[in-house]
Amino acid sequence: MRFFACTLFLVILAGFLGVLNLNGQNIPEQNQACLKCHTSQAHTIYNDWTEKEEKRLMNPFYILDTIQLAVGVHQVFSCIDCHSMDYETYPHDGQLKLEPMMTCIDCHGGDPTYEDWQFDRIEEEFQKSVHYELHGDQFSCSKCHSQHYYRATARTSSDLREIVDYSNKMCLSCHDNMTKYQLVSEDAKPQLVDIHNWLPNQELHFRRVRCIECHTEVQDSLMVSHNILRKEHATKNCVECHSANSMLQASLYKYQNLRVRTETGENSQKSILGLFTVKNTQEDFSNEYYVIGASRIPYLNTIFALIFFATLGGIVVHTIIRIIKK
Amino acid sequence: MENGKKLYLYPLWLRIWHGINALGILALIFSGISLHYSDRGILLLDFQSAVAVHNLAGVIVTVSYFLFVFGNILTKNGKYYRVKTKGLPNRLTKQIQYYISGMFKGEESPFPISEKRKFNPLQKYAYIFAMYLFLPILIVTGIALFFPEIIIEQVFQLSGIMLTAVIHGIIGFLTFVFLLVHLYVASMGKPPGKNYKSIITGWHT
Ligand code: HEM
Ligand code: HEM
């Protein structure tokens, strides 16, 4: 009974939120016209020839997700800021299919407002990547970043899992999806699971580290390295992550937004488990994330060494006395 | 030797367990150290092999641990592991005194081996600690590390994995220290190789 009540409550809540979103808390008013068709499986059109209303199915690839739209970086845009005004009529003009769309760089490149995001450096890095090298301009930023939905997760999320998940889905949306993959390549896509078979706990790794951790070189000055290297240069070396000076410190774990949470909780951390706290803030923060082999407790190795040599010393002394007194 | 009688102290199942366990723990210690000091070791295993060895040996030791527990429940060997707290400090002090000075003065062992008392008090409690405290903790935390999904993610702002790994590492280290002492104390038979022979043949002479 309680379960039922809870479920009911959740359903209602979800419906409510859905309505809120559909009503466009964040979505500009003028988009409603487009979204009326572009959010549902079926839409109604008025057929001038037969003079009847007719129901048609929507191309599933053209159905947009309003929830993601509402949280995306371009949430304030109306559709026709990017798309032609002519889309306001239906059927859409066939010529519109060929309308050139603006790229990220067209809008953001060289703009000091977005200096912080380093678009130009990202473009530079991206143009060195295998994707660009092999497929040129056909491989646009939008192949990874949807202009509708993109959310700067690494920069804003305080949940490591979410950052990893969001980023990996960008790669997997293509590398694990033949439909999208063939937009770029004629070849059959490689089987990711087989290729990464050498990696134990593969599933765990894919949930805890981003593909780009292994497939790019760490860029201290960039939030997200964009130079996807050829597979020969991908990291296969476990110790790059599984060690005290794990490279993850400089990539995945470096984000300020992750750190904020630790710093606010620092006091309680100190009082409860002072043993584990290091003065250095860099390390302080890293205690939240751990990989096997990253032994990061101060003095622990020293204590180990002391006990070890004391034991050994005891044994040696005892042996010597035994020999003498024999 | 103490009373000149031959005693059959280590039944076959116990010797089999002990052999498997000893080799398994040695492998775990070596690979565990390789995991812990992953970035500095010429003599150590590389990380990937260390993981493979550690996982395999971990499973073997876990399985053989149950052999030990059931063996001690089902046979009378279990009686050597009963805890008796009464007068314990006294007995421990006596044994320690013997190791520190008594044995050098040629005194007799205060707790000679007999059918009823296989272990001296120090030995007994060292074994109880190792077998009923250290190993269970290692196995539980080890299994948790096998399936990190089951570990609580965050405990007081610390990574749950880290706490588990640290506890696992500390107890693993203590087991290592136990082994060193165990190996040394076992050499106190007369002649020194005698006890090692016993754990292989089963006979205490
Ligand atoms: C004397 C016995 C043992 C020692 C000395 C030992 C030592 C270690 C050390 C030092 C680590 C690395 C932790 C770190 O520094 O990040 C580790 C990891 C690990 N241990 Fe052990 N351990 C022992 C027994 C076991 C047992 C009995 C099991 C299994 C039930 C086990 C399973 C694991 C697992 C799964 C890991 C994570 C890495 C991996 O997947 O191989 N260990 N151990
Ligand atoms: C190379 C490694 C080892 C050698 C050479 C060795 C040697 C011996 C010897 C000579 C004995 C019989 C004498 C005595 O009780 O002191 C013994 C008994 C015992 N050892 Fe070990 N040992 C080794 C490793 C281990 C390890 C790793 C453990 C547990 C973590 C262990 C646990 C025990 C226990 C519990 C007994 C008593 C068994 C019984 O009689 O119920 N040993 N060992």
Side-chain angles (χ1 to χ4, degrees), chain A residues 161 198-201 204 207-208 236 238-239 242-245 261-262 265 268-269 272-273 276 287-290 292-293 295 297 300-301 303-305 307-308 311-312 315 318-319 321-322 325, chain B residues 35-40 46-48 51 55 99-100 103-105 145-146 148-149 153-163 165-166 169-170 173-174 176-177 180-181 184 187-189 192:
Chain A
R161 302 292 169 81
W198 49 272
L199 187 63
N201 301 39
L204 176 77
R207 273 186 284 116
R208 303 286 166 90
K236 215 172 199 172
C238 324
V239 176
H242 289 279
S243 62
N245 53 353
R261 202 170 51 167
T262 315
S268 54
Q269 183 186 344
I272 298 168
L273 281 164
F276 296 127
N287 285 346
E288 254 187 283
Y289 308 104
Y290 186 76
I292 293 300
S295 46
I297 305 251
L300 190 63
N301 286 336
I303 296 170
F304 279 178
I307 297 179
F308 176 77
T311 311
L312 224 52
I315 290 175
H318 205 264
T319 313
I321 304 180
R322 260 168 80 194
K325 293 278 178 169
Chain B
L35 289 172
H36 189 71
Y37 299 104
S38 54
D39 50 352
R40 56 198 121 148
D46 67 274
F47 193 82
Q48 196 159 7
V51 166
N55 288 356
Y99 278 144
I100 296 181
M103 64 181 284
F104 300 126
K105 297 185 195 136
L145 289 173
F146 259 121
E149 289 83 357
E153 251 171 64
Q154 216 117 93
V155 186
F156 305 127
Q157 305 282 329
L158 289 169
S159 145
I161 302 265
M162 168 158 128
L163 277 186
V166 165
I170 291 175
F173 172 75
L174 292 179
F176 179 33
V177 172
L180 290 178
V181 176
Y184 178 66
S187 77
M188 294 210 200

Side-chain angles (χ1 to χ4, degrees), chain B residues 10 14 18 21 77 81 118-119 123 127 179 182-183 195:
Chain B
Y10 310 106
L14 186 69
H18 187 269
N21 186 61
N77 197 58
Y81 293 89
K118 178 155 72 167
F119 308 137
Q123 204 181 5
Y127 289 161
L179 180 61
H182 177 56
L183 288 177
N195 288 338

